[in-house]
Amino acid sequence: MKWLNMFVRYRLALGIVLLLAAVGVNLSSGFWPAFVLYFLALICILGHFLIGPMRLVQEYIENGDMEGANKVLSSIKFPWLLIKPVRSVYYTLKGNVAMMNQDFDNAEKMMKKGLDLGMPMKEAEGASLLQMGMLAMQKNEIRKAEGYIRQALQKGLPDKENQAAAYLQLCSIMMTKREFRAAKDYFRKAKALKPSTPQIVDQIKQIEKYISRIPG
């Protein structure tokens, strides 16, 4: 909805204009004729600082525009004013942007802040834990990665693509630990989900080439 995105983008400016208009009406005609303008200005200004432009950030991320997403996130000067669920999403999105820019240390820091605040939905918490696990894998912190991914599956993941990704990560971890029977079990679970994401499908094909040859 383009009109909603436009509103979010210019909400603060609109709030200031409405506030100035309310003051003008207040001075010329009294408080009550200006009440509606004051009320609308309050909604716009509070919405800007308490909710922020998360909708715009999510749209940029979905379109793969990390520069645009980071620009909008950087425009939030007072993240501590965001209400708690939105602040949690803010830090999670900051972590997502950092992860896509391969800034793994900052990504882990931001996503942990989001998790500590509490995610609005269990599936969102599971997805964040999965990403934390993948970050740990990138840093070769195998034990930490396994813990995060198991927590992600326990909390619940939003779709079969994320579930398959989690099982494939556990498959890789089990192969690293030389627990081959468990690795094969996780691989079967991932394949049974029939994911369609090209990256996951390719990973399944790569693992399938040699997993049947390993013992266990």
Side-chain angles (χ1 to χ4, degrees), residues 145-167:
E146 183 179 355
Y148 279 131
I149 295 168
R150 289 189 185 280
Q151 285 182 66
L153 288 166
Q154 186 178 10
K155 293 288 183 182
L157 290 164
D159 52 48
K160 66 178 184 179
E161 305 298 322
N162 279 277
Q163 292 169 27
Y167 286 130

PDB file of all heavy atoms in Angstrom, residues 145-167:
ATOM      1  N   ALA A 145      26.423 -22.673  17.921  1.00  0.00           N
ATOM      2  CA  ALA A 145      25.522 -22.763  16.769  1.00  0.00           C
ATOM      3  C   ALA A 145      24.482 -23.854  16.982  1.00  0.00           C
ATOM      4  O   ALA A 145      23.282 -23.647  16.742  1.00  0.00           O
ATOM      5  CB  ALA A 145      26.326 -23.046  15.502  1.00  0.00           C
ATOM      6  N   GLU A 146      24.920 -25.010  17.447  1.00  0.00           N
ATOM      7  CA  GLU A 146      23.993 -26.117  17.676  1.00  0.00           C
ATOM      8  C   GLU A 146      22.934 -25.733  18.713  1.00  0.00           C
ATOM      9  O   GLU A 146      21.741 -26.020  18.538  1.00  0.00           O
ATOM     10  CB  GLU A 146      24.761 -27.355  18.151  1.00  0.00           C
ATOM     11  CG  GLU A 146      23.864 -28.564  18.348  1.00  0.00           C
ATOM     12  CD  GLU A 146      24.638 -29.800  18.805  1.00  0.00           C
ATOM     13  OE1 GLU A 146      25.883 -29.738  18.884  1.00  0.00           O
ATOM     14  OE2 GLU A 146      23.982 -30.818  19.098  1.00  0.00           O
ATOM     15  N   GLY A 147      23.356 -25.067  19.771  1.00  0.00           N
ATOM     16  CA  GLY A 147      22.418 -24.653  20.815  1.00  0.00           C
ATOM     17  C   GLY A 147      21.355 -23.709  20.280  1.00  0.00           C
ATOM     18  O   GLY A 147      20.159 -23.875  20.543  1.00  0.00           O
ATOM     19  N   TYR A 148      21.780 -22.715  19.503  1.00  0.00           N
ATOM     20  CA  TYR A 148      20.837 -21.747  18.941  1.00  0.00           C
ATOM     21  C   TYR A 148      19.844 -22.425  17.990  1.00  0.00           C
ATOM     22  O   TYR A 148      18.632 -22.141  18.022  1.00  0.00           O
ATOM     23  CB  TYR A 148      21.576 -20.649  18.180  1.00  0.00           C
ATOM     24  CG  TYR A 148      22.143 -19.555  19.049  1.00  0.00           C
ATOM     25  CD1 TYR A 148      23.467 -19.130  18.902  1.00  0.00           C
ATOM     26  CD2 TYR A 148      21.361 -18.919  20.027  1.00  0.00           C
ATOM     27  CE1 TYR A 148      23.993 -18.108  19.682  1.00  0.00           C
ATOM     28  CE2 TYR A 148      21.883 -17.907  20.814  1.00  0.00           C
ATOM     29  CZ  TYR A 148      23.206 -17.505  20.634  1.00  0.00           C
ATOM     30  OH  TYR A 148      23.720 -16.495  21.411  1.00  0.00           O
ATOM     31  N   ILE A 149      20.346 -23.324  17.132  1.00  0.00           N
ATOM     32  CA  ILE A 149      19.476 -23.942  16.123  1.00  0.00           C
ATOM     33  C   ILE A 149      18.477 -24.886  16.775  1.00  0.00           C
ATOM     34  O   ILE A 149      17.302 -24.933  16.375  1.00  0.00           O
ATOM     35  CB  ILE A 149      20.323 -24.662  15.058  1.00  0.00           C
ATOM     36  CG1 ILE A 149      21.158 -23.630  14.282  1.00  0.00           C
ATOM     37  CG2 ILE A 149      19.431 -25.434  14.087  1.00  0.00           C
ATOM     38  CD1 ILE A 149      22.234 -24.233  13.404  1.00  0.00           C
ATOM     39  N   ARG A 150      18.902 -25.604  17.796  1.00  0.00           N
ATOM     40  CA  ARG A 150      17.966 -26.474  18.520  1.00  0.00           C
ATOM     41  C   ARG A 150      16.879 -25.636  19.208  1.00  0.00           C
ATOM     42  O   ARG A 150      15.702 -26.016  19.214  1.00  0.00           O
ATOM     43  CB  ARG A 150      18.708 -27.329  19.539  1.00  0.00           C
ATOM     44  CG  ARG A 150      19.562 -28.428  18.909  1.00  0.00           C
ATOM     45  CD  ARG A 150      20.104 -29.384  19.944  1.00  0.00           C
ATOM     46  NE  ARG A 150      21.009 -30.355  19.356  1.00  0.00           N
ATOM     47  CZ  ARG A 150      20.626 -31.450  18.704  1.00  0.00           C
ATOM     48  NH1 ARG A 150      19.330 -31.705  18.551  1.00  0.00           N
ATOM     49  NH2 ARG A 150      21.509 -32.296  18.212  1.00  0.00           N
ATOM     50  N   GLN A 151      17.268 -24.509  19.773  1.00  0.00           N
ATOM     51  CA  GLN A 151      16.284 -23.601  20.375  1.00  0.00           C
ATOM     52  C   GLN A 151      15.314 -23.075  19.323  1.00  0.00           C
ATOM     53  O   GLN A 151      14.110 -22.947  19.576  1.00  0.00           O
ATOM     54  CB  GLN A 151      16.991 -22.427  21.039  1.00  0.00           C
ATOM     55  CG  GLN A 151      17.676 -22.736  22.359  1.00  0.00           C
ATOM     56  CD  GLN A 151      18.301 -21.478  22.945  1.00  0.00           C
ATOM     57  OE1 GLN A 151      17.620 -20.539  23.326  1.00  0.00           O
ATOM     58  NE2 GLN A 151      19.629 -21.466  23.001  1.00  0.00           N
ATOM     59  N   ALA A 152      15.844 -22.774  18.130  1.00  0.00           N
ATOM     60  CA  ALA A 152      15.001 -22.263  17.042  1.00  0.00           C
ATOM     61  C   ALA A 152      13.916 -23.273  16.675  1.00  0.00           C
ATOM     62  O   ALA A 152      12.744 -22.917  16.517  1.00  0.00           O
ATOM     63  CB  ALA A 152      15.865 -21.942  15.826  1.00  0.00           C
ATOM     64  N   LEU A 153      14.305 -24.546  16.555  1.00  0.00           N
ATOM     65  CA  LEU A 153      13.330 -25.586  16.218  1.00  0.00           C
ATOM     66  C   LEU A 153      12.326 -25.784  17.352  1.00  0.00           C
ATOM     67  O   LEU A 153      11.142 -26.034  17.109  1.00  0.00           O
ATOM     68  CB  LEU A 153      14.056 -26.897  15.909  1.00  0.00           C
ATOM     69  CG  LEU A 153      14.814 -26.930  14.575  1.00  0.00           C
ATOM     70  CD1 LEU A 153      15.767 -28.108  14.530  1.00  0.00           C
ATOM     71  CD2 LEU A 153      13.827 -26.987  13.406  1.00  0.00           C
ATOM     72  N   GLN A 154      12.791 -25.645  18.570  1.00  0.00           N
ATOM     73  CA  GLN A 154      11.906 -25.801  19.728  1.00  0.00           C
ATOM     74  C   GLN A 154      10.873 -24.666  19.792  1.00  0.00           C
ATOM     75  O   GLN A 154       9.697 -24.898  20.068  1.00  0.00           O
ATOM     76  CB  GLN A 154      12.731 -25.829  21.011  1.00  0.00           C
ATOM     77  CG  GLN A 154      11.910 -26.133  22.255  1.00  0.00           C
ATOM     78  CD  GLN A 154      12.772 -26.192  23.506  1.00  0.00           C
ATOM     79  OE1 GLN A 154      13.946 -25.835  23.487  1.00  0.00           O
ATOM     80  NE2 GLN A 154      12.194 -26.648  24.591  1.00  0.00           N
ATOM     81  N   LYS A 155      11.323 -23.458  19.517  1.00  0.00           N
ATOM     82  CA  LYS A 155      10.419 -22.298  19.555  1.00  0.00           C
ATOM     83  C   LYS A 155       9.432 -22.326  18.391  1.00  0.00           C
ATOM     84  O   LYS A 155       8.308 -21.835  18.502  1.00  0.00           O
ATOM     85  CB  LYS A 155      11.221 -20.998  19.495  1.00  0.00           C
ATOM     86  CG  LYS A 155      12.087 -20.727  20.719  1.00  0.00           C
ATOM     87  CD  LYS A 155      11.253 -20.341  21.919  1.00  0.00           C
ATOM     88  CE  LYS A 155      12.153 -20.011  23.106  1.00  0.00           C
ATOM     89  NZ  LYS A 155      11.346 -19.667  24.304  1.00  0.00           N
ATOM     90  N   GLY A 156       9.868 -22.897  17.285  1.00  0.00           N
ATOM     91  CA  GLY A 156       9.030 -22.923  16.090  1.00  0.00           C
ATOM     92  C   GLY A 156       9.552 -21.961  15.037  1.00  0.00           C
ATOM     93  O   GLY A 156       9.954 -20.844  15.357  1.00  0.00           O
ATOM     94  N   LEU A 157       9.521 -22.413  13.786  1.00  0.00           N
ATOM     95  CA  LEU A 157       9.982 -21.597  12.663  1.00  0.00           C
ATOM     96  C   LEU A 157       8.803 -21.301  11.734  1.00  0.00           C
ATOM     97  O   LEU A 157       7.869 -22.099  11.635  1.00  0.00           O
ATOM     98  CB  LEU A 157      11.106 -22.318  11.916  1.00  0.00           C
ATOM     99  CG  LEU A 157      12.421 -22.398  12.712  1.00  0.00           C
ATOM    100  CD1 LEU A 157      13.353 -23.443  12.114  1.00  0.00           C
ATOM    101  CD2 LEU A 157      13.100 -21.038  12.755  1.00  0.00           C
ATOM    102  N   PRO A 158       8.832 -20.162  11.041  1.00  0.00           N
ATOM    103  CA  PRO A 158       7.645 -19.704  10.314  1.00  0.00           C
ATOM    104  C   PRO A 158       7.232 -20.532   9.110  1.00  0.00           C
ATOM    105  O   PRO A 158       6.072 -20.510   8.721  1.00  0.00           O
ATOM    106  CB  PRO A 158       8.021 -18.277   9.890  1.00  0.00           C
ATOM    107  CG  PRO A 158       9.508 -18.234   9.914  1.00  0.00           C
ATOM    108  CD  PRO A 158       9.915 -19.164  11.011  1.00  0.00           C
ATOM    109  N   ASP A 159       8.173 -21.258   8.480  1.00  0.00           N
ATOM    110  CA  ASP A 159       7.813 -22.002   7.270  1.00  0.00           C
ATOM    111  C   ASP A 159       8.782 -23.154   7.051  1.00  0.00           C
ATOM    112  O   ASP A 159       9.788 -23.301   7.752  1.00  0.00           O
ATOM    113  CB  ASP A 159       7.790 -21.084   6.042  1.00  0.00           C
ATOM    114  CG  ASP A 159       9.079 -20.285   5.894  1.00  0.00           C
ATOM    115  OD1 ASP A 159      10.160 -20.892   5.986  1.00  0.00           O
ATOM    116  OD2 ASP A 159       9.009 -19.054   5.708  1.00  0.00           O
ATOM    117  N   LYS A 160       8.466 -23.975   6.048  1.00  0.00           N
ATOM    118  CA  LYS A 160       9.277 -25.167   5.777  1.00  0.00           C
ATOM    119  C   LYS A 160      10.667 -24.807   5.263  1.00  0.00           C
ATOM    120  O   LYS A 160      11.608 -25.604   5.430  1.00  0.00           O
ATOM    121  CB  LYS A 160       8.564 -26.077   4.785  1.00  0.00           C
ATOM    122  CG  LYS A 160       8.408 -25.499   3.385  1.00  0.00           C
ATOM    123  CD  LYS A 160       7.731 -26.489   2.458  1.00  0.00           C
ATOM    124  CE  LYS A 160       7.672 -25.952   1.027  1.00  0.00           C
ATOM    125  NZ  LYS A 160       7.028 -26.926   0.104  1.00  0.00           N
ATOM    126  N   GLU A 161      10.819 -23.627   4.649  1.00  0.00           N
ATOM    127  CA  GLU A 161      12.132 -23.223   4.152  1.00  0.00           C
ATOM    128  C   GLU A 161      13.100 -23.020   5.322  1.00  0.00           C
ATOM    129  O   GLU A 161      14.248 -23.485   5.290  1.00  0.00           O
ATOM    130  CB  GLU A 161      12.019 -21.930   3.331  1.00  0.00           C
ATOM    131  CG  GLU A 161      11.024 -21.989   2.188  1.00  0.00           C
ATOM    132  CD  GLU A 161      11.369 -23.025   1.145  1.00  0.00           C
ATOM    133  OE1 GLU A 161      12.560 -23.202   0.851  1.00  0.00           O
ATOM    134  OE2 GLU A 161      10.424 -23.660   0.615  1.00  0.00           O
ATOM    135  N   ASN A 162      12.616 -22.309   6.357  1.00  0.00           N
ATOM    136  CA  ASN A 162      13.438 -22.099   7.544  1.00  0.00           C
ATOM    137  C   ASN A 162      13.697 -23.408   8.287  1.00  0.00           C
ATOM    138  O   ASN A 162      14.796 -23.637   8.798  1.00  0.00           O
ATOM    139  CB  ASN A 162      12.753 -21.104   8.483  1.00  0.00           C
ATOM    140  CG  ASN A 162      12.960 -19.668   8.068  1.00  0.00           C
ATOM    141  OD1 ASN A 162      13.963 -19.051   8.363  1.00  0.00           O
ATOM    142  ND2 ASN A 162      11.988 -19.117   7.353  1.00  0.00           N
ATOM    143  N   GLN A 163      12.695 -24.271   8.349  1.00  0.00           N
ATOM    144  CA  GLN A 163      12.867 -25.569   9.017  1.00  0.00           C
ATOM    145  C   GLN A 163      13.919 -26.405   8.294  1.00  0.00           C
ATOM    146  O   GLN A 163      14.785 -27.014   8.925  1.00  0.00           O
ATOM    147  CB  GLN A 163      11.533 -26.309   9.051  1.00  0.00           C
ATOM    148  CG  GLN A 163      10.486 -25.664   9.953  1.00  0.00           C
ATOM    149  CD  GLN A 163       9.109 -26.277   9.755  1.00  0.00           C
ATOM    150  OE1 GLN A 163       8.970 -27.437   9.367  1.00  0.00           O
ATOM    151  NE2 GLN A 163       8.079 -25.487  10.000  1.00  0.00           N
ATOM    152  N   ALA A 164      13.828 -26.425   6.962  1.00  0.00           N
ATOM    153  CA  ALA A 164      14.813 -27.186   6.178  1.00  0.00           C
ATOM    154  C   ALA A 164      16.216 -26.625   6.382  1.00  0.00           C
ATOM    155  O   ALA A 164      17.186 -27.384   6.534  1.00  0.00           O
ATOM    156  CB  ALA A 164      14.435 -27.147   4.692  1.00  0.00           C
ATOM    157  N   ALA A 165      16.332 -25.298   6.417  1.00  0.00           N
ATOM    158  CA  ALA A 165      17.638 -24.666   6.647  1.00  0.00           C
ATOM    159  C   ALA A 165      18.196 -25.070   8.004  1.00  0.00           C
ATOM    160  O   ALA A 165      19.392 -25.344   8.144  1.00  0.00           O
ATOM    161  CB  ALA A 165      17.511 -23.150   6.554  1.00  0.00           C
ATOM    162  N   ALA A 166      17.326 -25.124   9.014  1.00  0.00           N
ATOM    163  CA  ALA A 166      17.761 -25.503  10.365  1.00  0.00           C
ATOM    164  C   ALA A 166      18.258 -26.949  10.379  1.00  0.00           C
ATOM    165  O   ALA A 166      19.320 -27.247  10.952  1.00  0.00           O
ATOM    166  CB  ALA A 166      16.614 -25.315  11.358  1.00  0.00           C
ATOM    167  N   TYR A 167      17.514 -27.855   9.747  1.00  0.00           N
ATOM    168  CA  TYR A 167      17.923 -29.264   9.722  1.00  0.00           C
ATOM    169  C   TYR A 167      19.229 -29.453   8.946  1.00  0.00           C
ATOM    170  O   TYR A 167      20.079 -30.271   9.336  1.00  0.00           O
ATOM    171  CB  TYR A 167      16.821 -30.130   9.108  1.00  0.00           C
ATOM    172  CG  TYR A 167      15.638 -30.342  10.025  1.00  0.00           C
ATOM    173  CD1 TYR A 167      14.334 -30.127   9.585  1.00  0.00           C
ATOM    174  CD2 TYR A 167      15.812 -30.759  11.350  1.00  0.00           C
ATOM    175  CE1 TYR A 167      13.245 -30.314  10.420  1.00  0.00           C
ATOM    176  CE2 TYR A 167      14.726 -30.953  12.190  1.00  0.00           C
ATOM    177  CZ  TYR A 167      13.448 -30.726  11.727  1.00  0.00           C
ATOM    178  OH  TYR A 167      12.365 -30.915  12.568  1.00  0.00           O
TER     179      TYR A 167
END
